[in-house]
Structure formats: C-alpha cells, structure tokens
Amino acid sequence: ALYTEDVTFDGKKDLIATSNLYENENNQGDFSQSIWLYNNVGSNNIPQWNFLQKNFLQKDMIDVGQGASASFVDIDGDLDLDMFVGNEFIFSKQNSSHAALKFYRNQGNISQAKFVLESDDFMELSKYNFL
C-alpha cells in the first residue's frame, strides 16, 4: 500500500510504502521493519523519491511481535506497576519463530511511569517453545 503525506514537514508530500496484509502467513513477514519512507526531494508536482528508512515510526515504538498482550504487576515491591508483555511470535533472523515474555521495570513512580526494558526474554522462557 502506498500513501503520500508530508511527514518530514518540508511542504512536500513524501511516500510511505507498507504491506497490506491481513495476517502474517507462515510467519514470514518482519513487521518491525514494514513501513518504508521515501523523502520527496523533488516537488509535489514532480516528486523524486529518495529512500530514507524501512522502519518509519516503528523505530521509536515498543514492538514485541504478534499476538502481544501486556500485564502490570508490582514485581519488585516498590509500589509502582511494572510491565510484562508476552507475544506469540516475533520475527528474528536467528530464530524464525518464538514466543517470549518481556519485562519492563517501572523506574518512574506511582503517578508517572517510566518503563525500561530489563529483559527481552524473561527467565529465558522462549527456549521452551510454547507454541
């Protein structure tokens, strides 16, 4: 799917290319790098696309894979809620399919959370291949 929008805020419409899939058949898609951005170095009337990146917006987000679900619990007893996020699949070049549990410790406080990734495979649960 292709979209034009001025996302670089220079007055010229840039090109965004992304998949238009309803599901990730056979878990072959790497959706952590699926929004490609092309900067318009031409004009709106005669665009000239220059590739910038293949993870537009995604590079600044938490991406834990497909089938993600979060739970909050005060695991360390400091009276603020820490975050656990489980998934059913995440694309990886080393291991093409695995479920995992990520742990984000809340280094903020009760009123202002600040989640920091402490473990991307809590207790190494992915090695048990629960799928």
Side-chain angles (χ1 to χ4, degrees), residues 9-127:
F9 307 108
D10 61 1
K12 297 180 279 187
K13 289 187 176 183
D14 305 300
L15 179 67
I16 299 170
T18 187
S19 66
N20 197 16
L21 299 174
Y22 292 105
E23 64 182 79
N24 190 358
E25 269 188 54
N26 300 318
N27 295 328
Q28 296 298 308
D30 181 1
F31 291 124
S32 68
Q33 298 184 46
S34 61
I35 305 175
W36 293 24
L37 174 61
Y38 295 81
N39 184 32
N40 184 356
V41 295
S43 66
N44 284 330
N45 292 335
I46 305 173
Q48 184 178 348
W49 311 119
N50 182 38
F51 177 76
L52 285 183
Q53 66 189 90
K54 60 182 177 178
N55 60 351
F56 177 63
L57 299 176
Q58 297 165 307
K59 69 178 181 65
D60 299 316
M61 297 179 181
I62 294 174
D63 182 3
V64 298
Q66 293 175 206
S69 183
S71 291
F72 297 87
V73 63
D74 182 13
I75 194 167
D76 51 13
D78 62 358
L79 302 179
D80 59 25
L81 296 177
D82 304 297
M83 179 171 58
F84 286 88
V85 184
N87 68 348
E88 65 183 42
F89 167 83
I90 191 164
F91 185 88
S92 168
K93 292 189 186 326
Q94 296 81 16
N95 181 3
S96 63
S97 175
H98 66 278
L101 184 63
K102 297 186 183 327
F103 170 49
Y104 293 83
R105 185 178 304 277
N106 185 350
Q107 294 184 350
N109 54 48
I110 295 172
S111 59
Q112 184 67 41
K114 180 183 176 187
F115 295 107
V116 176
L117 178 65
E118 188 163 299
S119 173
D120 63 355
D121 189 7
F122 187 71
M123 296 177 55
E124 297 181 336
L125 293 173
S126 70
K127 70 182 177 184

